[in-house]
Amino acid sequence: MNRVEKATECPKCGSNELGKGMHSGYASMAPAERFGLGSKIIYIICTHCGFIVEGYVEQPKRFKKR
Ligand SMILES: [Zn+2]
């Protein structure tokens, strides 16, 4: 897989005004294959059109297969 450059602009509308958001409260991502602690999801959002440019979990190691 190619390394993706850090998002700096919205691929949809071209705006470079990106904001950061996350699910609040208990809406975290949990591992699908086993029970365990989940992780917060962080989103990079275009503040112009609302497009979600990136979404990722804060602690990806929790999703590793054992
Ligand atoms: Zn946009």
Side-chain angles (χ1 to χ4, degrees):
M1 210 157 90
N2 291 332
R3 198 178 153 81
V4 182
E5 281 183 41
K6 199 165 185 262
T8 52
E9 72 173 36
C10 174
K12 202 176 175 188
C13 73
S15 167
N16 58 8
E17 290 175 36
L18 302 179
K20 205 172 189 182
M22 62 171 70
H23 278 298
S24 60
Y26 222 55
S28 62
M29 179 82 83
E33 295 185 0
R34 61 189 168 83
F35 290 106
L37 285 172
S39 176
K40 277 182 197 162
I41 310 166
I42 295 172
Y43 291 114
I44 306 297
I45 298 155
C46 173
T47 59
H48 183 72
C49 73
F51 187 74
I52 297 173
V53 180
E54 282 184 337
Y56 53 93
V57 296
E58 198 171 45
Q59 282 144 312
K61 283 176 184 164
R62 288 184 179 171
F63 296 85
K64 265 189 176 176
K65 286 182 182 175
R66 287 201 173 150

